[in-house]
């Protein structure tokens, strides 16, 4: 049992680190990974991230660098850019942001001045820290206005979005987030942004793979600026991109470099290119459709078992369960599920009376298990395990948890993991 590519030199030079990497590979193999922002990248993506491209500095952009020796790096970056443009149908792509938060910060730098008004979804309602939440620099340095979901439906309250936008006239409106189980209505956001002369920024980090694979409507044509990480449903390395219309290209490029970052991580850029090559294939469309089918099947099975899902279900890769009726908090439930080989995160739910570090909910995503090969017919079993473990944790019955962990390992033994040979 070992990591692929093999860690031959690493094991010889630094057995301690090699041992930790092997242990993590084994852990990822043995668990049903339901963290909605995670995935398994292909071995090709893994190989690209572990290349000599990490040795090269290349501040600037292709043809306009501040270091010599860019004959190859320029080609790598241009390849990633052209693939991003083709996969998402955009005019321009910047593939240099180190991750999602720096990508969003670059958008602020390009389009707003400190103290100006911006608008985003409140974190407890499903938004992201960098959409102006209180503890983020974006909430401290900008006058952040926050919209949320309706209590009765768990869906974005567009009356509130429109009302707040008219009253506060933000420079930017962010659409997207980290715990939104329903289709994001980009045309509705675009209409409001246009009415108040704001720039609509679609943060598609969670759903980028679904957009690329045709399983979620695209924001292109509605949002002139689109940010995304590359490692969630898109199934690339940890990184990010900003995609724009032609009019915003220069300002965004200037904001990423030299505005915010230094040299791009060229090994990551190569791996983004590989992931985008994969995202252009028919197999990826099947994967994206199956991610959604798996999430819907898991939602149905959990609803049958009495789980309370925010918005009553899902349209995408993500479910948010409020465990109040199960008489357990999200955190002890998530910890028990992890011990049972089912890995997810505790999460606030909209209007959560509990604190963010000890909230009422758990967040569940189906991207990684889909990559692993699990299908809708496996979801009732996963729901049954979640139900058993949540019940056992509420009762303090550790023996059930151990039995489920063994059953999970047995199921997963039949589903190979990219980056690992059993
Ligand atoms: N922390 C990521 C997530 O889990 O959704 C978003 O940045």
């Amino acid at each position: 049992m070992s990591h692929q590519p093999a860690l031959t030199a690493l094991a010889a030079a630094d057995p301690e680190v090699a041992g930790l990497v092997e242990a993590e590979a084994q852990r990822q193999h043995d668990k049903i990974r339901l963290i909605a922002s995670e995935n398994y990248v292909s071995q090709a993506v893994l190989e690209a991230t572990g290349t000599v491209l990490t040795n090269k500095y290349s501040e600037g952009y292709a043809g306009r660098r501040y270091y010599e020796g860019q004959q190859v790096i320029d080609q790598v970056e241009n390849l990633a850019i052209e693939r991003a443009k083709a996969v998402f149908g955009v005019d321009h792509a910047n593939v240099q942001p180190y991750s999602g938060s720096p990508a969003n910060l670059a958008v602020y730098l390009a389009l707003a001045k400190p103290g100006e008004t911006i608008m985003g979804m409140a974190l407890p309602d499903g938004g992201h820290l960098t959409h102006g939440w209180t503890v983020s620099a974006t909430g401290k340095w900008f006058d952040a206005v926050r919209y949320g979901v309706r209590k009765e439906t768990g869906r974005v309250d567009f009356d509130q979005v429109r009302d707040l936008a008219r009253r506060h006239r933000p420079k930017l409106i962010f659409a997207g987030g980290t715990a939104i189980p329903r289709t994001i209505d980009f045309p509705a956001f675009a209409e409001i942004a246009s009415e108040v002369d704001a720039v609509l920024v679609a943060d598609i980090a969670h759903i980028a793979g679904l957009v690329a694979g045709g399983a979620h409507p695209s924001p292109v044509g509605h949002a002139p600026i689109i940010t995304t990480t590359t490692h969630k449903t898109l199934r690339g390395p940890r990184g990010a991109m900003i995609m724009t219309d032609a009019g915003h290209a220069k300002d965004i490029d200037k904001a990423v470099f030299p505005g915010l970052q230094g040299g791009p991580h060229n090994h990551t850029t190569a791996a983004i290119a590989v992931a985008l090559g994969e995202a252009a294939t028919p197999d990826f469309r099947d994967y994206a459709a199956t991610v959604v089918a798996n999430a819907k099947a898991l939602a149905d099975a959990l609803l049958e078992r009495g789980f309370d899902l925010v918005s009553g279900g899902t349209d995408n890769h993500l479910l948010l369960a409020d465990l109040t009726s199960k008489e357990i908090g999200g955190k002890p439930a998530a910890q028990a599920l992890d011990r049972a080989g089912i890995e997810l995160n505790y999460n606030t739910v909209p209007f959560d009376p509990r604190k963010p570090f000890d909230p009422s909910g758990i967040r569940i995503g189906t991207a990684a298990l889909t990559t692993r090969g699990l299908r809708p017919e496996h979801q009732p079993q996963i729901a049954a395990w979640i139900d058993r473990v949540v019940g056992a944790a509420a009762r303090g019955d550790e023996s059930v948890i151990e039995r489920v962990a063994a059953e999970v390992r047995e199921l997963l033994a039949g589903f190979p993991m990219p980056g690992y040979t059993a």
Side-chain angles (χ1 to χ4, degrees):
M1 289 179 289
S2 64
H3 188 276
Q4 293 299 322
L7 306 176
T8 324
L10 182 61
D14 194 331
E16 203 176 353
V17 171
L20 290 171
V21 177
E22 291 290 1
E24 174 61 10
Q26 177 84 53
R27 194 196 65 79
Q28 291 185 14
H29 179 268
D30 288 350
K31 286 191 178 172
I32 297 181
R33 298 176 56 233
L34 297 177
I35 292 181
S37 46
E38 293 184 353
N39 214 322
Y40 295 96
V41 299
S42 68
Q43 194 164 331
V45 168
L46 276 181
E47 285 182 9
T49 57
T51 58
V52 295
L53 302 190
T54 195
N55 296 339
K56 188 71 194 123
Y57 248 113
S58 40
E59 284 178 7
Y61 292 100
R64 294 174 285 130
R65 306 276 188 188
Y66 290 81
Y67 297 79
E68 295 311 314
Q70 308 297 339
Q71 295 83 354
V72 177
I73 297 300
D74 278 3
Q75 294 181 61
V76 170
E77 190 168 322
N78 280 336
L79 192 59
I81 289 169
E82 290 310 315
R83 288 183 181 177
K85 284 161 66 177
V87 165
F88 288 95
V90 289
D91 294 337
H92 178 74
N94 186 308
V95 296
Q96 294 193 3
Y98 299 143
S99 201
S101 297
N104 284 343
L105 285 180
V107 173
Y108 285 92
L109 184 60
L111 295 167
K113 292 191 177 52
E116 287 187 331
T117 304
I118 62 95
M119 208 168 126
M121 193 175 200
L123 186 69
D125 287 45
H128 188 255
L129 281 165
T130 57
H131 298 178
W133 190 239
T134 48
V135 294
S136 155
T138 61
K140 294 179 194 287
W141 294 344
F142 297 90
D143 178 16
V145 178
R146 300 166 193 114
Y147 60 85
V149 296
R150 284 184 193 277
K151 200 164 192 173
E152 322 80 68
T153 62
R155 296 174 188 241
V156 172
D157 181 347
F158 278 103
D159 291 335
Q160 185 198 32
V161 177
R162 183 175 295 102
D163 180 51
L164 289 172
R166 282 178 180 163
R167 274 197 283 141
H168 297 278
R169 313 273 318 175
K171 295 281 290 239
L172 304 175
I173 298 178
F174 280 87
T178 62
I180 303 172
R182 294 295 180 176
T183 300
I184 300 172
D185 189 345
F186 295 117
F189 276 109
E191 196 186 303
I192 294 169
S194 154
E195 187 189 323
V196 301
D197 217 12
V199 177
L200 179 62
V201 184
D203 181 342
I204 63 167
H206 264 265
I207 54 168
L210 307 185
V211 172
H216 187 290
S218 169
V220 176
H222 306 293
I225 300 195
I226 301 165
T227 63
T228 184
T229 49
T230 44
H231 47 268
K232 299 185 174 91
T233 52
L234 190 56
R235 215 163 59 179
R238 299 195 81 90
M241 307 191 289
I242 307 176
M243 299 177 278
T244 74
D245 61 6
H248 289 91
K250 263 198 180 141
D251 287 345
I252 289 294
D253 281 355
K254 261 173 60 188
V256 173
F257 176 84
L260 200 65
Q261 297 190 169
H265 294 175
N266 299 310
H267 53 304
T268 299
T269 308
I272 289 174
V274 174
L276 290 168
E278 293 173 357
T281 61
D283 277 358
F284 195 87
R285 290 187 84 79
D286 287 350
Y287 149 79
T290 309
V291 169
V292 176
N294 278 338
K296 285 180 187 291
L298 186 53
D300 289 346
L302 287 169
L303 287 168
E304 269 176 34
R305 290 176 173 277
F307 279 81
D308 177 10
L309 300 184
V310 172
S311 84
T314 181
D315 298 326
N316 53 32
H317 66 300
L318 184 152
L319 330 173
L320 201 54
D322 181 343
L323 299 182
T324 307
S325 65
K326 298 283 180 185
E327 296 181 345
I328 185 168
K331 191 173 189 171
Q335 288 169 339
L337 284 160
D338 190 47
R339 293 199 296 283
I342 299 171
E343 180 193 3
L344 44 69
N345 65 283
Y346 56 88
N347 218 97
T348 50
V349 294
F351 309 97
D352 203 327
R354 300 169 67 121
K355 296 223 161 19
F357 204 58
D358 183 24
S360 300
I362 51 175
R363 188 181 66 160
I364 305 172
T366 53
L369 70 78
T370 303
T371 299
R372 197 74 188 264
L374 294 166
R375 301 196 55 83
E377 58 268 28
H378 300 110
Q379 306 310 317
Q381 174 63 79
I382 295 172
W385 281 328
I386 292 174
D387 195 17
R388 269 168 72 195
V389 173
V390 165
R395 294 191 307 276
D397 180 352
E398 200 63 27
S399 64
V400 169
I401 293 169
E402 279 166 27
R403 278 203 299 281
V404 170
E407 289 168 27
V408 165
R409 275 198 302 277
E410 200 181 316
L411 174 80
L412 290 179
F415 295 90
M417 165 184 151
Y420 178 87
T421 45

